[in-house]
Amino acid sequence: MSVDSILRKADKQLKRGEYGDAAQLYLEVLTQFPGNKRAQSGITKLEKAVAQAAEAAVRAQPAADTTPPPAELIHTLRDKLDSGAFEQVIDEGTQLVSRYPNAPALPHLIGLAYGRSGRHEQAIQQFDRACTLAPDFIDAHVNRTASLAFLGRHEEAIEAARKTIRRAPQNAAPYLHLAYSTAQLGRWQDSLTACQKVLDFDPNNVQALIGAGHAELMLAFHEEAEVYFRKAHDIAPNDIKIVQNIATTLNAQGRAMETIDFLTPLLDRFPQDTEIRLRLADANLTLNWVSEARDIGEDVVSKEADNAQAWSLLANCYNLLGDKEQSVRCFKSALNCEPDSILALSKLLKATLPSEDDPDLARLQSYFDEADFSSNEYHIVGFALFNIYHKNGETAKAFDCLEKANASLSAYHPYNMDRQQELFEIIKQQFSPLPARLNSDILEELPMPQRPVFIVGMPRSGTSLVEQILASHSHVYGAGELQNLGNVMQDLGWRRQEQGQGPAQQALRTIRAAYIDGISKLNCAAPVITDKTPLNFSWLGHALLAMPEARVLFMRRDSRATCWSNYSRCFVGRANDFGNGMDAVTQMYHAHLDLMSFWMQLFPDRIRMVPYEHLTEDQEAESRKLIEFIGLDWEEACLDFHKTKRAIRTASSDQVKQKMYTGSSEAWRRYEQYLGPMLEGLEGLD
């Protein structure tokens, strides 16, 4: 039946007084289409009709005693409620209702007793009666909303909260319920907005601060999330959940050393808290200290064999260490702990590559077909299915899952490419003409412990491969994707696509000091350190003026291969969200070429372009050029880069542990028939 047909039927039932049937149909539409105005209007009319019918029924009854119950009776019932004597409140309250049928406080107290004892259906009935007797009884409306949320009827709870807000726009409580139910449905922006409204009334509301932080965290705006959690921590320093959330935000920003510094002192206060230890393990992973993270995970599962999170951590550690067998074993253990976890199932199947008729694969596909498009798990499952079907040779199925997963991410994490291009133009203006580099006195004051080599370009352009080659040299430490430069640029105002400070001397000094502090904590002795954060290409002007010692390797790979690889990968965080859409990724590709051309004109001797395809076709010649450019003598170990033992935490981790091979830049051709918008946007590029 079409939506229009359902709504026509509901309207007829409403007119006939068939309120229950009408409500069911309106809610059926709102479950699928929460913004349907006609269904929302129908619910409003329905509630008015029900209220009018209830009032008429009350008027039709013989005149009742309108004398309110004595205040001491109400106080006694409330004291019993607060002491947990719920059955007494229900029994005594019900007897009092027969004597004082027009007193809304009585059904409200009975409703609270039902709610606090977990009987929310009965609670709602009592709250409804209280609201009928006193339509402006805000507490009754608020508690009715809470019971709806407890029952998981979040769409109804959201509508009830919004109606209460219309009645009492300055009351914080309905906003908190609105924040909770929208969060439960994955509507994180709505949840954030509701929490911010509470904070307008009460800036120190811990519940709202935590809710806002969690919403920002789920929206992957980690810096903003940290601000909310830090304020909540100042107010409630002993709340371990807030501590855990701060650690999560720090680690998500790549600020792993800060995470460790923040959590380590807390181990004495919370020695048995597993979550703190697991977040320490995550920080170790971010720093590529995989063995340390593994040891934490092994210790946790030795004491808590049913801890699915620890098993998943171990699975990731063993995968990074190249032990696929152990990784699969740990994924299976995680799934045994949480058999209904669709995420654990996704990771296991992606690792084991099931056959087409595997029942677990059918279960995963069934979930994907039926899941809410906005679910946090939806895109993760979609990418897992894409990888499975891709490896099984089922191209059409693979692309269908990939396209839906990316559409989900684009809808809920849109990328403002126009704004990004504006910022690139602003950066270019700040460097036209080229500003002075950091003065020599500050350079002497802040000596660089290692010579940085920035490996930049589009994600999936070969940065991991080049770093692995360089890290095979005895004088090079491969640090992976450091967040040092990005973090200090955020501190200088470049955050959430906002313009920050230009390359003035004080800003350059800040950049140099912060970068030195970051790499010093890595405790590496090699004279050269590589930083392969691809999107650092945005900040090369600032970095090269602040660090004259630094060199840059700019990766240039076939445009179609690069953009396809971005579109077909599920990245962590929001920085690569342009990859979720074919138009956005092609625009970013053009924009990054333009900005890199600008930097290469300004710093021709300090930036070298590395053609990925040339490197794969003539490994030794191109590798020798790389080593020469960073100022080192050649070592044969650089040809056997795949034998170098180091953990790699990027989508390229498997490739760089294999010998050099050609042809990877042709992988997009298998999906050529589906990539029209992308290929059109890249026409004319190699």
Side-chain angles (χ1 to χ4, degrees):
M1 188 181 295
S2 68
V3 172
D4 189 57
S5 299
I6 294 173
L7 290 172
R8 281 202 304 272
K9 184 175 179 180
D11 292 341
K12 289 179 181 177
Q13 290 173 332
L14 175 58
K15 289 180 180 178
R16 292 197 297 263
E18 299 170 1
Y19 301 137
D21 294 336
Q24 185 174 352
L25 292 177
Y26 286 132
L27 291 174
E28 179 182 337
V29 173
L30 288 173
T31 298
Q32 299 182 45
F33 307 100
N36 188 290
K37 300 297 184 185
R38 187 172 163 189
Q40 291 174 348
S41 175
I43 288 289
T44 301
K45 292 176 182 176
L46 175 66
E47 290 173 341
K48 288 181 180 178
V50 171
Q52 289 169 357
E55 290 170 6
V58 170
R59 288 194 298 271
Q61 293 176 353
D65 184 1
T66 58
T67 305
E72 58 267 23
L73 287 178
I74 299 296
H75 290 316
T76 299
L77 277 183
R78 182 164 289 281
D79 289 342
K80 291 179 178 179
L81 177 72
D82 293 340
S83 68
F86 303 133
E87 295 304 325
Q88 253 186 296
V89 173
I90 293 169
D91 292 341
E92 294 177 16
T94 302
Q95 294 175 27
L96 287 171
V97 165
S98 64
R99 291 171 53 193
Y100 306 100
N102 295 317
L106 292 173
H108 181 246
L109 286 170
I110 296 169
L112 288 172
Y114 275 125
R116 293 183 188 179
S117 60
R119 291 169 284 179
H120 293 287
E121 292 286 2
Q122 295 95 320
I124 290 170
Q125 293 173 9
Q126 295 296 325
F127 294 139
D128 282 341
R129 178 172 177 77
C131 292
T132 299
L133 291 169
D136 290 328
F137 191 170
I138 299 304
D139 284 351
H141 286 285
V142 167
N143 289 315
R144 178 180 182 272
T145 304
S147 283
L148 288 169
F150 272 114
L151 290 171
R153 293 158 59 180
H154 294 297
E155 292 290 0
E156 294 176 72
I158 289 168
E159 182 59 27
R162 286 175 174 155
K163 287 182 64 178
T164 307
I165 288 167
R166 289 194 289 271
R167 290 177 180 274
Q170 300 305 310
N171 191 310
Y175 286 104
L176 286 171
H177 290 310
L178 180 61
Y180 174 77
S181 284
T182 49
Q184 291 301 305
L185 295 175
R187 301 176 192 170
W188 299 110
Q189 187 58 56
D190 290 341
S191 182
L192 175 62
T193 301
C195 289
Q196 289 171 332
K197 192 68 178 179
V198 175
L199 294 171
D200 288 341
F201 307 140
D202 179 7
N204 294 322
N205 188 299
V206 173
Q207 189 176 352
L209 288 167
I210 295 172
H214 189 59
E216 294 278 26
L217 188 62
M218 299 308 294
L219 289 166
F221 293 124
H222 304 118
E223 303 86 3
E224 291 82 352
E226 182 190 349
V227 172
Y228 286 117
F229 290 138
R230 291 277 191 187
K231 186 167 184 180
H233 183 58
D234 290 341
I235 300 168
N238 293 320
D239 190 323
I240 188 62
K241 291 296 183 184
I242 300 174
V243 168
Q244 294 163 2
N245 283 324
I246 292 173
T248 298
T249 60
L250 288 171
N251 213 38
Q253 296 171 64
R255 293 157 60 186
M257 288 304 304
E258 289 180 61
T259 306
I260 293 172
D261 292 342
F262 174 69
L263 289 180
T264 300
L266 296 175
L267 289 175
D268 292 334
R269 288 173 54 197
F270 307 102
Q272 303 304 317
D273 190 83
T274 298
E275 293 295 326
I276 286 183
R277 302 186 68 208
L278 290 177
R279 280 163 175 76
L280 275 173
D282 286 337
N284 279 291
L285 276 182
T286 300
L287 292 169
N288 279 340
W289 298 344
V290 183
S291 297
E292 290 84 347
R294 177 201 58 199
D295 292 344
I296 293 174
E298 291 286 9
D299 185 60
V300 170
V301 298
S302 71
K303 299 169 183 173
E304 301 179 24
D306 60 347
N307 191 308
Q309 186 180 355
W311 283 115
S312 292
L313 165 76
L314 280 173
N316 291 332
C317 291
Y318 283 117
N319 182 56
L320 291 168
L321 293 169
D323 192 335
K324 300 294 184 183
E325 184 177 342
Q326 282 280 58
S327 179
V328 168
R329 178 185 68 84
C330 292
F331 276 133
K332 288 181 178 178
S333 296
L335 193 59
N336 286 337
C337 297
E338 295 183 358
D340 294 331
S341 171
I342 205 70
L343 293 182
L345 181 63
S346 297
K347 293 176 181 179
L348 175 61
L349 294 186
K350 184 179 175 183
T352 56
L353 191 59
S355 62
E356 185 177 353
D357 59 354
D358 190 301
D360 282 336
L361 177 57
R363 175 186 162 198
L364 198 64
Q365 181 66 61
S366 176
Y367 169 86
F368 189 65
D369 292 340
E370 299 171 6
D372 181 354
F373 188 71
S374 64
S375 164
N376 289 325
E377 299 175 342
Y378 185 88
H379 73 278
I380 298 175
V381 174
F383 277 101
L385 286 169
F386 162 73
N387 280 282
I388 293 166
Y389 290 135
H390 172 79
K391 291 176 181 177
N392 283 345
E394 299 179 77
T395 302
K397 276 188 177 181
F399 189 80
D400 179 65
C401 295
L402 175 64
E403 187 174 38
K404 290 176 180 176
N406 273 315
S408 172
L409 283 172
S410 293
Y412 293 96
H413 292 166
Y415 193 86
N416 190 339
M417 194 59 223
D418 290 339
R419 177 56 178 160
Q420 185 61 67
Q421 290 173 322
E422 289 176 11
L423 290 176
F424 285 163
E425 289 303 316
I426 290 171
I427 291 171
K428 288 163 65 176
Q429 292 170 15
Q430 291 181 342
F431 283 82
S432 300
L434 178 64
R437 78 174 197 180
L438 194 57
N439 72 58
S440 56
D441 290 342
I442 298 176
L443 295 178
E444 291 180 10
E445 175 193 346
L446 298 171
M448 187 70 64
Q450 282 89 25
R451 180 165 69 254
V453 175
F454 295 100
I455 308 172
V456 302
M458 284 285 284
R460 304 293 299 158
S461 60
T463 55
S464 293
L465 173 61
V466 165
E467 183 178 56
Q468 185 74 353
I469 292 171
L470 299 182
S472 301
H473 196 288
S474 61
H475 290 171
V476 178
Y477 178 80
E481 295 189 6
L482 298 177
Q483 301 301 310
N484 301 344
L485 183 56
N487 287 339
V488 70
M489 295 306 293
Q490 288 177 3
D491 293 341
L492 293 173
W494 297 90
R495 58 175 61 222
R496 211 184 238 194
Q497 296 192 326
E498 295 177 1
Q499 178 182 349
Q501 296 182 35
Q505 286 292 302
Q506 184 56 47
L508 295 178
R509 187 189 191 286
T510 299
I511 292 169
R512 183 177 180 89
Y515 204 85
I516 289 173
D517 181 63
I519 62 175
S520 296
K521 292 178 179 178
L522 297 177
N523 296 319
C524 67
V528 175
I529 186 169
T530 58
D531 179 345
K532 63 156 295 286
T533 307
L535 298 184
N536 273 344
F537 69 77
S538 301
W539 321 121
L540 287 183
H542 298 79
L544 292 177
L545 291 180
M547 295 174 271
E549 307 90 339
R551 296 293 180 267
V552 177
L553 294 169
F554 165 42
M555 298 304 304
R556 178 77 187 274
R557 187 184 182 191
D558 180 278
S559 61
R560 298 158 300 184
T562 304
C563 291
W564 161 248
S565 197
N566 275 267
Y567 186 72
S568 60
R569 292 298 189 284
C570 181
F571 292 97
V572 175
R574 296 289 304 277
N576 298 334
D577 277 355
F578 53 81
N580 301 332
M582 293 190 197
D583 289 337
V585 74
T586 56
Q587 292 173 36
M588 178 59 89
Y589 192 89
H590 283 282
H592 108 285
L593 286 183
D594 179 72
L595 186 58
M596 283 306 307
S597 175
F598 177 76
W599 294 137
M600 292 176 78
Q601 291 175 20
L602 293 183
F603 303 99
D605 298 330
R606 299 176 62 192
I607 303 175
R608 183 180 189 280
M609 197 264 284
V610 183
Y612 176 83
E613 284 75 23
H614 290 186
L615 179 60
T616 61
E617 292 164 2
D618 193 352
Q619 177 187 353
E620 181 170 354
E622 292 298 326
S623 297
R624 284 181 176 274
K625 293 176 184 177
L626 297 177
I627 299 301
E628 180 181 4
F629 179 74
I630 66 172
L632 297 174
D633 294 329
W634 174 251
E635 290 182 359
E636 291 295 324
C638 296
L639 293 179
D640 292 324
F641 62 88
H642 58 286
K643 297 180 181 178
T644 300
K645 299 296 182 182
R646 53 184 290 268
I648 302 180
R649 298 200 65 203
T650 72
S652 305
S653 59
D654 288 336
Q655 291 96 315
V656 299
K657 293 173 183 175
Q658 305 169 20
K659 289 185 177 182
M660 189 79 74
Y661 63 96
T662 61
S664 65
S665 291
E666 299 298 308
W668 64 272
R669 294 192 183 277
R670 177 172 159 187
Y671 295 90
E672 184 172 0
Q673 61 179 310
Y674 306 107
L675 304 180
M678 180 184 295
L679 299 179
E680 290 174 15
L682 298 173
E683 191 171 354
L685 295 175
D686 56 13

